[in-house]
Protein backbone atom coordinates (compact mmCIF):
# COMPACT_ATOMS: atom_id res chain seq x y z
CA UNK A 1 0.00 0.00 0.00
CA UNK A 2 0.97 3.69 -0.24
CA UNK A 3 1.99 4.07 3.41
CA UNK A 4 4.34 1.10 3.15
CA UNK A 5 5.76 2.39 -0.12
CA UNK A 6 6.43 5.81 1.46
CA UNK A 7 8.43 4.09 4.20
CA UNK A 8 10.21 1.50 2.08
CA UNK A 9 11.14 3.53 -1.01
CA UNK A 10 13.73 5.71 0.81
CA UNK A 11 15.28 2.54 2.27
CA UNK A 12 15.52 0.95 -1.17
CA UNK A 13 17.12 4.11 -2.54
CA UNK A 14 19.76 4.03 0.20
CA UNK A 15 20.54 0.39 -0.59
CA UNK A 16 20.84 1.15 -4.31
CA UNK A 17 23.23 3.95 -3.46
CA UNK A 18 25.43 1.49 -1.56
CA UNK A 19 24.49 2.60 1.95
CA UNK A 20 24.37 0.06 4.79
CA UNK A 21 21.21 -0.16 6.87
CA UNK A 22 20.55 -1.30 10.42
CA UNK A 23 18.88 -4.54 11.51
CA UNK A 24 15.87 -2.54 12.72
CA UNK A 25 15.36 -0.99 9.29
CA UNK A 26 15.94 -4.38 7.66
CA UNK A 27 12.90 -5.72 9.55
CA UNK A 28 10.75 -3.06 7.88
CA UNK A 29 11.79 -4.51 4.53
CA UNK A 30 10.41 -7.97 5.25
CA UNK A 31 6.94 -7.46 3.66
CA UNK A 32 8.64 -6.08 0.56
CA UNK A 33 11.11 -8.97 0.44
CA UNK A 34 8.25 -11.47 0.82
CA UNK A 35 6.53 -9.84 -2.15
CA UNK A 36 9.69 -9.87 -4.30
CA UNK A 37 10.34 -13.56 -3.51
CA UNK A 38 6.75 -14.70 -4.00
CA UNK A 39 7.29 -16.24 -7.45
CA UNK A 40 10.91 -17.23 -6.92
CA UNK A 41 10.73 -19.72 -4.06
CA UNK A 42 10.94 -23.00 -5.93
CA UNK A 43 12.05 -26.37 -4.62
CA UNK A 44 15.47 -25.81 -6.15
CA UNK A 45 16.05 -22.56 -4.24
CA UNK A 46 15.84 -24.19 -0.81
CA UNK A 47 16.76 -27.82 -1.60
CA UNK A 48 20.51 -27.52 -0.98
CA UNK A 49 19.99 -25.76 2.36
CA UNK A 50 17.47 -28.38 3.43
CA UNK A 51 19.72 -31.27 2.41
CA UNK A 52 22.80 -29.81 4.14
CA UNK A 53 20.99 -28.90 7.37
CA UNK A 54 21.87 -32.30 8.84
CA UNK A 55 25.51 -31.49 8.09
CA UNK A 56 25.34 -28.44 10.31
CA UNK A 57 25.22 -25.78 7.58
CA UNK A 58 25.60 -22.35 9.18
CA UNK A 59 23.37 -19.35 8.54
CA UNK A 60 26.09 -17.80 6.35
CA UNK A 61 26.37 -21.04 4.39
CA UNK A 62 22.58 -21.24 3.95
CA UNK A 63 22.44 -17.60 2.85
CA UNK A 64 25.16 -18.13 0.23
CA UNK A 65 23.48 -21.30 -1.08
CA UNK A 66 20.17 -19.50 -1.50
CA UNK A 67 21.83 -16.44 -3.05
CA UNK A 68 23.46 -18.63 -5.70
CA UNK A 69 20.08 -20.11 -6.60
CA UNK A 70 18.49 -16.63 -6.76
CA UNK A 71 21.29 -15.44 -9.05
CA UNK A 72 20.59 -18.40 -11.34
CA UNK A 73 16.87 -17.60 -11.29
CA UNK A 74 17.64 -13.97 -12.15
CA UNK A 75 19.75 -15.05 -15.12
CA UNK A 76 17.01 -17.35 -16.41
CA UNK A 77 14.41 -14.61 -15.97
CA UNK A 78 16.54 -12.19 -17.96
CA UNK A 79 16.87 -14.74 -20.78
CA UNK A 80 13.09 -15.15 -20.88
CA UNK A 81 12.59 -11.40 -20.81
CA UNK A 82 15.05 -10.86 -23.65
CA UNK A 83 13.10 -13.39 -25.74
CA UNK A 84 9.89 -11.55 -24.98
CA UNK A 85 8.52 -14.41 -22.89
CA UNK A 86 6.75 -14.20 -19.53
CA UNK A 87 9.17 -14.33 -16.60
CA UNK A 88 9.23 -13.95 -12.79
CA UNK A 89 10.18 -10.58 -11.32
CA UNK A 90 13.93 -9.97 -11.46
CA UNK A 91 15.50 -9.14 -8.10
CA UNK A 92 17.72 -6.07 -8.16
CA UNK A 93 21.34 -7.08 -7.65
CA UNK A 94 21.55 -4.72 -4.67
CA UNK A 95 18.64 -6.55 -3.02
CA UNK A 96 19.98 -10.09 -3.44
CA UNK A 97 21.82 -10.08 -0.11
CA UNK A 98 18.71 -8.91 1.75
CA UNK A 99 16.47 -11.42 -0.02
CA UNK A 100 18.96 -14.19 0.72
CA UNK A 101 19.26 -13.24 4.39
CA UNK A 102 15.49 -13.14 4.76
CA UNK A 103 14.89 -16.45 2.98
CA UNK A 104 17.75 -18.21 4.81
CA UNK A 105 16.25 -17.26 8.18
CA UNK A 106 12.80 -18.50 7.18
CA UNK A 107 14.18 -21.72 5.66
CA UNK A 108 16.29 -22.59 8.71
CA UNK A 109 13.38 -21.83 11.03
CA UNK A 110 11.07 -24.05 8.96
CA UNK A 111 13.65 -26.87 8.96
CA UNK A 112 13.90 -26.65 12.75
CA UNK A 113 10.11 -26.74 13.13
CA UNK A 114 9.71 -29.65 10.69
CA UNK A 115 12.63 -31.83 11.79
CA UNK A 116 12.65 -31.33 15.56
CA UNK A 117 13.86 -34.88 16.27
CA UNK A 118 16.71 -34.62 13.76
CA UNK A 119 17.71 -31.24 15.19
CA UNK A 120 17.72 -32.73 18.68
CA UNK A 121 19.97 -35.61 17.61
CA UNK A 122 22.34 -33.25 15.82
CA UNK A 123 22.66 -31.07 18.93
CA UNK A 124 23.26 -34.16 21.09
CA UNK A 125 26.05 -35.33 18.78
CA UNK A 126 27.66 -31.87 18.88
CA UNK A 127 27.46 -31.78 22.68
CA UNK A 128 29.15 -35.17 22.97
CA UNK A 129 31.86 -34.05 20.56
CA UNK A 130 32.37 -30.91 22.62
CA UNK A 131 32.86 -32.96 25.78
CA UNK A 132 35.43 -35.15 24.04
CA UNK A 133 37.33 -32.27 22.46
CA UNK A 134 37.56 -30.56 25.87
CA UNK A 135 40.02 -33.36 26.69
CA UNK A 136 42.06 -32.32 23.64
CA UNK A 137 41.13 -35.71 22.19
CA UNK A 138 39.69 -36.38 18.73
CA UNK A 139 36.21 -37.89 18.45
CA UNK A 140 36.58 -41.66 17.89
CA UNK A 141 33.93 -44.33 17.48
CA UNK A 142 33.15 -47.67 15.86
CA UNK A 143 30.54 -48.00 13.14
CA UNK A 144 27.85 -50.71 13.51
CA UNK A 145 30.15 -52.91 11.37
CA UNK A 146 33.04 -52.40 13.81
CA UNK A 147 34.99 -50.05 11.55
CA UNK A 148 37.04 -47.55 13.64
CA UNK A 149 36.78 -43.85 12.82
CA UNK A 150 38.95 -41.03 14.15
CA UNK A 151 38.19 -37.42 13.22
CA UNK A 152 41.52 -35.95 12.06
CA UNK A 153 40.79 -32.27 12.65
CA UNK A 154 43.63 -30.46 14.37
CA UNK A 155 44.80 -26.89 14.48
CA UNK A 156 47.11 -26.00 11.63
CA UNK A 157 50.66 -24.89 12.14
CA UNK A 158 51.83 -23.54 8.84
CA UNK A 159 54.47 -21.53 7.11
CA UNK A 160 53.93 -19.37 4.07
CA UNK A 161 56.31 -18.52 1.28
CA UNK A 162 55.76 -16.11 -1.58
CA UNK A 163 56.26 -17.64 -5.00
CA UNK A 164 56.01 -16.22 -8.51
CA UNK A 165 52.33 -17.08 -8.91
CA UNK A 166 51.15 -16.54 -5.34
CA UNK A 167 51.67 -17.70 -1.77
CA UNK A 168 52.47 -21.34 -1.02
CA UNK A 169 51.53 -22.64 2.43
CA UNK A 170 52.80 -25.75 4.17
CA UNK A 171 50.73 -27.08 7.06
CA UNK A 172 51.69 -29.49 9.83
CA UNK A 173 48.70 -31.74 10.59
CA UNK A 174 50.55 -34.32 12.66
CA UNK A 175 48.90 -35.85 15.69
CA UNK A 176 51.02 -33.66 17.97
CA UNK A 177 49.01 -30.55 17.06
CA UNK A 178 46.16 -29.47 19.38
CA UNK A 179 42.61 -30.51 18.52
CA UNK A 180 40.51 -28.14 16.37
CA UNK A 181 37.64 -28.13 18.88
CA UNK A 182 35.03 -26.29 16.83
CA UNK A 183 35.69 -28.42 13.75
CA UNK A 184 35.48 -31.60 15.87
CA UNK A 185 32.00 -30.49 17.01
CA UNK A 186 30.59 -29.21 13.72
CA UNK A 187 31.89 -32.11 11.64
CA UNK A 188 30.72 -34.92 13.91
CA UNK A 189 26.98 -35.01 12.99
CA UNK A 190 27.61 -35.30 9.22
CA UNK A 191 30.47 -37.75 9.73
CA UNK A 192 28.31 -39.92 11.97
CA UNK A 193 25.50 -39.93 9.39
CA UNK A 194 27.95 -40.75 6.58
CA UNK A 195 29.32 -43.63 8.67
CA UNK A 196 25.81 -45.06 9.06
CA UNK A 197 25.09 -44.61 5.35
CA UNK A 198 28.33 -46.36 4.39
CA UNK A 199 27.49 -49.21 6.79
CA UNK A 200 24.14 -49.58 5.06
CA UNK A 201 25.83 -49.64 1.66
CA UNK A 202 28.30 -52.33 2.76
CA UNK A 203 25.55 -54.48 4.28
CA UNK A 204 23.64 -54.21 1.00
CA UNK A 205 26.73 -55.01 -1.08
CA UNK A 206 27.52 -58.12 1.00
CA UNK A 207 23.94 -59.40 0.81
CA UNK A 208 23.84 -58.84 -2.97
CA UNK A 209 27.14 -60.69 -3.39
CA UNK A 210 25.76 -63.61 -1.37
CA UNK A 211 22.92 -63.88 -3.90
CA UNK A 212 25.14 -63.47 -6.95
CA UNK A 213 23.85 -59.97 -7.73
CA UNK A 214 26.43 -57.65 -9.30
CA UNK A 215 26.23 -54.49 -7.18
CA UNK A 216 27.98 -51.14 -7.41
CA UNK A 217 27.36 -47.74 -5.89
CA UNK A 218 28.36 -44.10 -6.05
CA UNK A 219 27.59 -42.28 -2.80
CA UNK A 220 23.85 -42.96 -2.29
CA UNK A 221 23.16 -44.26 -5.81
CA UNK A 222 22.93 -48.06 -5.87
CA UNK A 223 23.15 -49.99 -9.13
CA UNK A 224 22.53 -53.52 -10.32
CA UNK A 225 21.57 -55.14 -13.64
CA UNK A 226 17.99 -54.40 -14.63
CA UNK A 227 16.91 -57.98 -13.97
CA UNK A 228 18.11 -57.68 -10.34
CA UNK A 229 16.74 -54.24 -9.46
CA UNK A 230 13.58 -55.47 -7.73
CA UNK A 231 15.54 -57.88 -5.54
CA UNK A 232 18.18 -55.23 -4.77
CA UNK A 233 15.39 -52.88 -3.67
CA UNK A 234 14.17 -55.53 -1.23
CA UNK A 235 17.66 -56.20 0.08
CA UNK A 236 18.57 -52.57 0.69
CA UNK A 237 15.33 -52.03 2.63
CA UNK A 238 15.91 -55.17 4.70
CA UNK A 239 19.45 -54.03 5.51
CA UNK A 240 18.27 -50.54 6.42
CA UNK A 241 15.81 -52.02 8.91
CA UNK A 242 18.51 -54.34 10.24
CA UNK A 243 20.89 -51.41 10.75
CA UNK A 244 18.51 -48.82 12.16
CA UNK A 245 16.51 -51.33 14.16
CA UNK A 246 19.44 -51.16 16.58
CA UNK A 247 19.69 -48.34 19.11
CA UNK A 248 22.67 -46.74 17.37
CA UNK A 249 22.63 -43.65 19.59
CA UNK A 250 22.65 -45.60 22.85
CA UNK A 251 25.44 -47.80 21.49
CA UNK A 252 27.41 -44.67 20.63
CA UNK A 253 26.86 -43.31 24.16
CA UNK A 254 28.19 -46.52 25.70
CA UNK A 255 31.22 -46.34 23.43
CA UNK A 256 31.96 -42.79 24.55
CA UNK A 257 31.61 -43.65 28.24
CA UNK A 258 34.02 -46.55 27.85
CA UNK A 259 36.51 -44.67 25.66
CA UNK A 260 36.51 -41.45 27.71
CA UNK A 261 35.85 -42.64 31.30
CA UNK A 262 37.01 -39.40 32.91
CA UNK A 263 34.02 -37.66 31.27
CA UNK A 264 31.59 -40.60 31.44
CA UNK A 265 29.14 -38.84 33.79
CA UNK A 266 29.02 -35.72 31.62
CA UNK A 267 27.65 -37.38 28.48
CA UNK A 268 23.88 -36.72 28.34
CA UNK A 269 21.39 -39.39 27.40
CA UNK A 270 20.41 -39.42 23.70
CA UNK A 271 17.16 -37.69 22.71
CA UNK A 272 14.02 -39.80 22.91
CA UNK A 273 13.31 -41.26 19.48
CA UNK A 274 9.75 -41.08 18.17
CA UNK A 275 7.69 -44.22 17.67
CA UNK A 276 8.05 -44.62 13.89
CA UNK A 277 7.85 -48.29 12.90
CA UNK A 278 11.11 -48.69 10.97
CA UNK A 279 9.64 -51.70 9.13
CA UNK A 280 7.37 -49.34 7.20
CA UNK A 281 10.29 -48.49 4.89
CA UNK A 282 9.89 -51.96 3.37
CA UNK A 283 6.56 -50.82 1.93
CA UNK A 284 7.70 -47.31 0.94
CA UNK A 285 8.09 -46.91 -2.83
CA UNK A 286 10.09 -43.71 -2.63
CA UNK A 287 12.14 -44.46 0.50
CA UNK A 288 15.04 -45.33 -1.81
CA UNK A 289 14.30 -44.95 -5.49
Amino acid sequence: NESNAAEIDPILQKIRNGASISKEITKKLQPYLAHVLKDKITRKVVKQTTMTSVYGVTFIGARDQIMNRLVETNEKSRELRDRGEEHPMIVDDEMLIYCSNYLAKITQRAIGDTFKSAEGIMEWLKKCAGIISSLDEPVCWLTPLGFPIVQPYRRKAGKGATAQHGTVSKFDLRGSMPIAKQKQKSAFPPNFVHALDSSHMLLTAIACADEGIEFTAVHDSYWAHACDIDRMNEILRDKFVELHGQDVLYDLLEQFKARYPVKAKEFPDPPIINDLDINLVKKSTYFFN
Side-chain angles (χ1 to χ4, degrees):
N1 58 36
E2 290 183 8
S3 61
N4 282 342
E7 190 175 34
I8 290 173
D9 284 346
I11 299 173
L12 297 179
Q13 192 57 50
K14 285 183 180 180
I15 293 171
R16 292 180 180 120
N17 291 337
S20 59
I21 59 176
S22 67
K23 290 183 179 179
E24 183 179 343
I25 294 178
T26 301
K27 287 182 180 179
K28 294 181 180 179
L29 277 176
Q30 289 185 0
Y32 170 80
L33 298 175
H35 170 69
V36 169
L37 290 166
K38 182 179 178 182
D39 296 322
K40 288 187 171 288
I41 305 175
T42 62
R43 182 175 181 270
K44 185 177 181 180
V45 170
V46 298
K47 179 183 177 182
Q48 186 180 14
T49 301
T50 303
M51 296 295 287
T52 55
S53 63
V54 71
Y55 303 144
V57 65
T58 63
F59 169 75
I60 299 300
R63 182 200 67 192
D64 291 346
Q65 290 170 346
I66 288 171
M67 182 183 291
N68 289 336
R69 301 293 83 74
L70 291 177
V71 168
E72 291 171 0
T73 304
N74 258 1
E75 291 173 353
K76 187 172 182 179
S77 295
R78 288 191 178 100
E79 290 175 5
L80 292 172
R81 181 194 61 188
D82 293 344
R83 294 202 299 264
E85 299 178 26
E86 188 175 341
H87 61 85
M89 185 188 306
I90 296 172
V91 178
D92 291 345
D93 290 340
E94 300 89 345
M95 295 303 299
L96 278 172
I97 186 67
Y98 297 99
C99 289
S100 302
N101 273 328
Y102 172 69
L103 193 50
K105 288 177 183 176
I106 290 178
T107 302
Q108 289 197 312
R109 191 182 309 141
I111 290 169
D113 291 343
T114 305
F115 304 112
K116 283 188 170 65
S117 294
E119 288 275 317
I121 293 170
M122 186 165 68
E123 289 306 312
W124 178 77
L125 291 170
K126 286 181 180 179
K127 189 166 187 177
C128 290
I131 293 169
I132 295 167
S133 61
S134 71
L135 296 169
D136 201 30
E137 293 276 352
V139 179
C140 308
W141 75 102
L142 297 177
T143 72
L145 296 182
F147 188 85
I149 299 178
V150 180
Q151 293 196 147
Y153 314 115
R154 294 180 179 272
R155 284 161 51 187
K156 298 176 181 178
K159 295 181 180 180
T162 302
Q164 182 177 357
H165 299 292
T167 300
V168 177
S169 299
K170 180 181 178 182
F171 293 104
D172 182 353
L173 297 177
R174 292 174 297 182
S176 59
M177 295 304 298
I179 290 297
K181 295 181 180 180
Q182 188 56 44
K183 182 65 174 177
Q184 288 283 337
K185 286 176 59 178
S186 63
F188 183 44
N191 286 342
F192 182 69
V193 171
H194 283 312
L196 291 176
D197 287 346
S198 63
S199 296
H200 174 233
M201 183 187 70
L202 286 170
L203 287 169
T204 302
I206 292 168
C208 284
D210 288 344
E211 296 192 20
I213 296 174
E214 292 190 26
F215 171 88
T216 190
V218 176
H219 189 46
D220 58 357
S221 179
Y222 292 6
W223 305 341
H225 290 300
C227 58
D228 296 320
I229 288 294
D230 289 342
R231 179 57 187 146
M232 184 190 72
N233 270 320
E234 293 174 355
I235 290 172
L236 69 87
R237 284 163 172 76
D238 289 342
K239 293 305 170 182
F240 187 89
V241 171
E242 178 183 319
L243 176 64
H244 292 280
Q246 309 170 48
D247 194 338
V248 292
L249 297 183
Y250 181 77
D251 177 68
L252 182 66
L253 175 63
E254 291 303 301
Q255 287 189 48
F256 285 162
K257 287 181 176 179
R259 187 179 293 274
Y260 310 101
V262 69
K263 292 285 187 178
K265 293 183 179 180
E266 295 185 29
F267 290 109
D269 289 335
I272 297 174
I273 304 300
N274 291 333
D275 57 358
L276 172 70
D277 181 359
I278 194 69
N279 287 286
L280 291 176
V281 302
K282 294 183 179 182
K283 300 177 181 179
S284 173
T285 302
Y286 298 106
F287 155 71
F288 203 110
N289 187 51

